[in-house]
Amino acid sequence: MSSSNGHAARLLRFLRIFCLTREERALYKAARGSGFFDPVYYTGAYPDIHPLFHRFPLRHYIVYGEKRGYRPNPDFSPWAYLRYNPDVAGEEVSPLLHWIRGGHAEQRVHKDLPKVEKMPDDTPRLPRFDRTRARGRVAVVMHVYYPDLWPEFADRLRRLPGDFDVFVTLTYRGDETDDLAGEIRRDFPRAFVHPVENRGRDILPFLRLVNAGALDGYEAVCKIHTKKSPHREDGDIWRRHLIDGVLPDEGLEHLLSAFLSDPTAAFWVADGQHYSDPRWWGSNFEATQSLLRRVEIEIGRADLSFPAGSIYWMKPLMIGMLKAMKLRAGHFDPEEAQVDGTLAHAMERAIGILARAAGQHVVQTTELQQALSKPAPKRLRPAFVSAFYLPQFHPIPENDAWWGKGFTEWRGTVGAEPFFEGHTQPVLPSDLGFYDLRVPETMGEQARVARAAGIDAFCVYHYWFDGRRVLEAPLDNLLQRPDIDFPFYLCWANESWRRNWDGLSGSVLLEQTYAEGFEERLVADSLPYMRDPRYQRPDGTRPRFVIYRPEDMPDPAASVARMRTAWREAGIGEVELGAVCFHTAGDTPVDSDLFDFWIEMPPHGLVTKDDYLFGGSAGNILERDIQGGFEGLVYDYRKVIANAMSPEYTGALPGNTICGVMPSWDNTARRDLNAHIAYGANPASFNRWLLDLTQTRLSGSYRQELFVNAWNEWAEKAMLEPSVIWDDMYLKVLADHTGADAQLSEL
């Protein structure tokens, strides 16, 4: 055929779409009115369609596409509709037109349904993985739904450089799966291979490994799967692009190094696979919103950002956040070949929002390649890290009398209840358990875990009321055990104890009196601790002592002078004396230069009237009901972070202030219906706070130090210790910013 004849034929083919038959006109009218034709999907799924037709995709479908088996939307297959509905095939009517006119209402089968094999009753359950086991630096996790693609993926694995651990899940298909599992184990003897039911696509099998702890301890994990995308004509091309982008034959080790060295990168995907246009929400917004509320993350419809295709590298924080969602098989929809609207589709979108919550983003391969030509970003680390430490985890006579026999901090902690959807209560201990601080070995274990996360010292609350001590047993027992490593210094918690726990109002249980000569008696009480070799001198010379509320003293300047003199006369020498920036006025103003340093203690001074989600002037803007007669306050943790970075706030702090952060805050366990709750606190948002702080404020912090509120305030949900919901993620986040992450992974 001559070129002129070829051009004429193409022109006639194009003009044909404007000369519709009566039946074709009926389909055109029905499809436009029903919304069952998706032009964006159609032009993207079939890239071989000539560009001339792109302005008229529905007409192309009616005249040419349906006869070729093209789908008008990802959820409808014309050929499958005819195959499952032979009466329609006999009528010689358009499958889509029949579906619109009646098949949809009759709930007829309209796509290829997967065969779901029942798992044998004797299938071994997924084991619980030992976090201390030997493992490589990184892992590759593969889900095999299409067994015929295994040779392609096996070849890819053989070409990987370095030391990779391999995990393979197989959609169960009877003997075929058993045979393939044996083949994989022969080819890759170190690989972990596990059959799974056909549910939750590639997402649920991955989460099974996450929940079992299989992926704990890796610097990064690569997630891939045998993607065919049968609803797309270019499915094979897309799969190879996705995998080539994250597991290239050349340069993988350098790209992986660039990914790991970027603290703001959470996911690495192939080029073009970072989707952020809200049109990609599909029917998944509500399900995604519900998923993210399981970890106290809120979203809006403009917030979409995710690694498309479900093939990517990811970092440990993201794995930990997925584990915290605690999703199981029963949460996922039965497999019916859905192409949208399932929990698996919602999870695909949720993971990118997890990254955003952490102050991180999705990075594409070309961006990493460009980063290779630039010097790695330098990260500022804190020079010394302290954490407030509460000793109220053992019974004392006073608490027995006030709160009931055997009361400790744990009683309220276990009794806390959630007041609204997404309110993560109760939060209970995991690794260290419900400990009793009268056992010094417990304190040694706490210190071991804390040091591995980069914490240099505990600032232990010292409850001294004009000579009367309470909660003194833990430290006094520690003094008798010099073999236990527990770095500490004291913070005199000089508030009166009150029944409502806030130290400011309510009936007084134990009053702080400041009787004449209290300074010398307080100093004398501190001497046994300061003379212990474990008592900390952060500047290398002076022992450190902190006063919680100096403005409550009748004459702060005179009292501080007398205390300094008393320490010198006792042979201690100069003491590095600090105070807490409480931001609530006491009885007596205190000059900022009275102390060597001040401690920023969130949330004090960081919550404004504009930050309330419930209980403020705007009422309830949580967009959900509050249960149980709650009368407290709920504020936005994310806004607290923003406030902490604002020039207005930082400019009002004393120049010699130690920067402070809080993992969370929620005193429901103490105040119940009158609780104050920082909603949106989780390890991801804690990471965001530390990222912002280290990049902007840490260099100006006193001696470049960092203070955490707190190590173990369980009844205020301000703790770094491992918990059932968050595991040890808070510690891992802190370790990443202190540079101690390698040490923590070995615990």
Side-chain angles (χ1 to χ4, degrees):
M1 182 183 292
S2 66
S3 60
S4 60
N5 289 339
H7 289 310
R10 282 194 292 273
L11 180 60
L12 289 174
R13 281 177 54 80
F14 177 68
L15 293 175
R16 167 68 178 84
I17 68 174
F18 299 101
C19 303
L20 301 180
T21 66
R22 185 171 69 177
E23 182 176 306
E24 289 171 343
R25 288 197 299 273
L27 174 57
Y28 183 80
K29 181 179 179 181
R32 290 192 66 183
S34 68
F36 282 118
F37 182 78
D38 184 343
V40 175
Y41 161 78
Y42 188 73
T43 54
Y46 304 104
D48 290 341
I49 296 175
H50 195 280
L52 278 173
F53 295 102
H54 280 196
R55 292 187 60 187
F56 310 98
L58 176 55
R59 289 178 177 273
H60 181 274
Y61 172 81
I62 291 169
V63 176
Y64 301 114
E66 189 168 69
K67 298 181 180 65
R68 298 174 184 173
Y70 289 2
R71 298 171 182 242
N73 63 65
D75 203 39
F76 183 90
S77 167
W79 286 359
Y81 192 74
L82 295 176
R83 187 167 64 255
Y84 283 107
N85 302 281
D87 60 316
V88 178
E91 295 178 17
E92 296 185 356
V93 65
S94 158
L96 181 59
L97 182 60
H98 187 278
W99 169 253
I100 294 171
R101 285 179 169 175
H104 178 257
E106 296 168 3
Q107 297 185 335
R108 291 190 179 226
V109 179
H110 58 282
K111 56 189 172 184
D112 290 306
L113 297 178
K115 183 179 180 182
V116 179
E117 296 274 1
K118 184 179 183 301
M119 297 280 291
D121 293 336
D122 60 352
T123 302
R125 298 185 64 179
L126 197 64
R128 189 72 190 170
F129 287 79
D130 180 3
R131 70 170 64 180
T132 64
R133 73 188 189 281
R135 54 184 168 246
R137 286 184 61 215
V138 296
V140 175
V141 177
M142 176 191 306
H143 178 62
V144 178
Y145 177 79
Y146 297 105
D148 58 298
L149 290 180
W150 167 248
E152 174 187 322
F153 280 69
D155 182 60
R156 177 77 60 170
L157 291 178
R158 291 188 187 97
R159 300 200 305 269
L160 292 179
D163 183 18
F164 287 74
D165 289 346
V166 176
F167 298 84
V168 183
T169 54
L170 307 171
T171 296
Y172 185 71
R173 302 175 186 274
D175 292 342
E176 181 182 16
T177 298
D178 295 335
D179 293 342
L180 180 57
E183 179 184 343
I184 295 172
R185 292 186 179 105
R186 287 191 296 272
D187 290 348
F188 300 92
R190 291 177 49 201
F192 177 84
V193 184
H194 189 73
V196 295
E197 64 179 316
N198 184 18
R199 190 166 187 151
R201 309 294 168 87
D202 56 294
I203 301 294
L204 177 56
F206 183 76
L207 289 179
R208 289 183 186 274
L209 292 171
V210 168
N211 293 340
L215 308 182
D216 291 351
Y218 291 104
E219 293 183 35
V221 171
C222 182
K223 178 189 173 299
I224 60 177
H225 62 109
T226 54
K227 189 177 186 67
K228 277 192 176 180
S229 301
H231 58 284
R232 291 177 60 125
E233 189 176 60
D234 62 343
D236 289 341
I237 297 172
W238 190 25
R239 177 185 70 251
R240 290 172 186 139
H241 170 70
L242 288 168
I243 295 177
D244 286 343
V246 297
L247 292 175
D249 286 333
E250 296 182 1
L252 173 58
E253 290 174 307
H254 295 296
L255 290 170
L256 184 56
S257 177
F259 174 61
L260 292 173
S261 64
D262 183 355
T264 67
F267 293 93
W268 163 21
V269 294
D271 288 345
Q273 298 312 123
H274 177 202
Y275 287 11
S276 57
D277 193 319
R279 69 189 176 96
W280 293 109
W281 272 121
S283 59
N284 301 293
F285 179 82
E286 286 75 15
T288 306
Q289 181 183 62
S290 181
L291 273 177
L292 290 168
R293 282 180 175 173
R294 298 174 75 92
V295 288
E296 294 200 10
I297 293 176
E298 290 295 310
I299 56 171
R301 291 189 180 273
D303 292 341
L304 187 62
S305 170
F306 70 102
S310 202
I311 290 175
Y312 41 73
W313 283 94
M314 64 194 306
K315 287 185 180 173
L317 176 57
M318 297 295 101
I319 293 172
M321 292 299 292
L322 292 178
K323 184 189 288 188
M325 288 184 176
K326 301 194 181 304
L327 295 171
R328 302 292 184 266
H331 292 107
F332 284 81
D333 313 77
E335 184 55 53
E336 296 177 349
Q338 305 96 317
V339 295
D340 198 35
T342 70
L343 190 69
H345 292 99
M347 179 60 77
E348 185 178 12
R349 286 150 181 81
I351 58 175
I353 298 169
L354 291 178
R356 178 177 291 176
Q360 299 177 322
H361 65 284
V362 179
V363 63
Q364 300 179 112
T365 302
T366 297
E367 293 171 306
L368 287 179
Q369 290 170 336
Q370 294 170 348
L372 291 174
S373 61
K374 304 173 184 176
K378 291 185 178 180
R379 302 183 63 180
L380 189 63
R381 310 287 194 185
F384 195 89
V385 180
S386 303
F388 284 112
Y389 182 97
L390 181 68
Q392 191 165 226
F393 293 91
H394 63 96
I396 59 174
E398 290 85 351
N399 279 334
D400 285 351
W402 297 326
W403 308 107
K405 183 77 172 167
F407 176 87
T408 74
E409 194 80 350
W410 297 125
R411 181 174 296 177
T413 301
V414 300
E417 295 181 354
F419 289 116
F420 51 89
E421 180 193 3
H423 181 202
T424 52
Q425 282 285 12
V427 178
L428 305 177
S430 57
D431 295 23
L432 298 172
F434 294 93
Y435 50 75
D436 186 326
L437 289 183
R438 291 173 299 185
V439 180
E441 285 80 3
T442 295
M443 301 173 74
E445 181 63 14
Q446 288 175 315
R448 186 180 74 90
V449 174
R451 278 201 184 280
I455 295 173
D456 296 289
F458 295 117
C459 181
V460 180
Y461 288 122
H462 186 66
Y463 296 99
W464 186 92
F465 298 85
D466 199 16
R468 179 178 178 180
R469 289 287 309 281
V470 291
L471 300 175
E472 74 281 2
L475 278 185
D476 286 356
N477 291 342
L478 181 72
L479 294 184
Q480 307 306 312
R481 292 290 303 274
D483 56 307
I484 292 178
D485 180 19
F486 186 84
F488 73 99
Y489 55 90
L490 298 180
C491 173
W492 178 32
N494 62 315
E495 285 184 325
S496 295
W497 278 17
R498 298 178 182 270
R499 186 160 291 279
N500 66 355
W501 294 101
D502 65 1
L504 300 173
S505 58
S507 59
V508 175
L509 301 175
L510 189 56
E511 188 173 8
Q512 192 68 256
T513 61
Y514 306 105
E516 185 178 353
F518 79 88
E519 300 91 347
E520 288 78 8
R521 293 191 296 275
L522 174 61
V523 166
D525 191 76
S526 72
L527 296 179
Y529 306 107
M530 286 191 174
R531 288 169 177 155
D532 189 283
R534 292 163 291 188
Y535 199 90
Q536 293 297 291
R537 290 164 166 76
D539 67 356
T541 304
R542 297 174 295 171
R544 175 173 285 185
F545 191 88
V546 176
I547 299 177
Y548 190 65
R549 292 274 289 165
E551 60 272 27
D552 283 0
M553 296 187 292
D555 188 348
S559 291
V560 166
R562 284 191 284 268
M563 291 172 67
R564 289 187 185 277
T565 298
W567 273 312
R568 293 189 200 102
E569 291 177 350
I572 296 297
E574 297 303 320
V575 170
E576 187 185 31
L577 196 58
V580 173
C581 290
F582 203 76
H583 295 280
T584 300
D587 296 330
T588 311
V590 179
D591 292 337
S592 61
D593 61 356
L594 179 61
F595 292 93
D596 298 306
F597 63 93
W598 293 81
I599 299 169
E600 183 186 14
M601 189 182 189
H604 297 308
L606 283 168
V607 183
T608 75
K609 61 182 178 61
D610 298 322
D611 303 332
Y612 290 109
L613 303 172
F614 181 89
S617 59
N620 182 5
I621 59 174
L622 274 169
E623 299 182 352
R624 73 207 86 160
D625 292 336
I626 304 290
Q627 306 298 324
F630 181 75
E631 297 180 353
L633 299 170
V634 182
Y635 55 89
D636 192 335
Y637 181 90
R638 296 171 302 172
K639 290 189 176 181
V640 171
I641 298 174
N643 294 340
M645 303 302 145
S646 70
E648 295 79 11
Y649 168 77
T650 57
L653 293 172
N656 53 342
T657 298
I658 299 177
C659 291
V661 293
M662 66 179 188
S664 176
W665 182 272
D666 177 353
N667 57 13
T668 298
R670 287 185 172 176
R671 302 190 66 183
D672 195 27
L673 298 176
N674 297 302
H676 292 185
I677 300 166
Y679 179 70
N682 54 57
S685 52
F686 184 56
N687 183 74
R688 184 186 196 107
W689 194 334
L690 287 170
L691 270 175
D692 290 351
L693 187 144
T694 54
Q695 292 172 355
T696 59
R697 292 189 53 202
L698 184 60
S699 61
S701 180
Y702 174 75
R703 296 184 64 250
Q704 204 171 302
E705 292 192 33
L706 175 68
F707 227 101
V708 183
N709 182 32
W711 171 258
N712 63 339
E713 285 272 13
W714 283 90
E716 293 177 343
K717 212 168 82 172
M719 70 284 174
L720 292 170
E721 290 181 328
S723 66
V724 172
I725 181 172
W726 303 120
D727 198 27
D728 61 351
M729 273 198 293
Y730 276 114
L731 291 167
K732 287 177 177 175
V733 167
L734 182 62
D736 180 56
H737 291 277
T738 62
D741 46 330
Q743 184 180 359
L744 184 67
S745 67
E746 296 173 359
L747 290 181

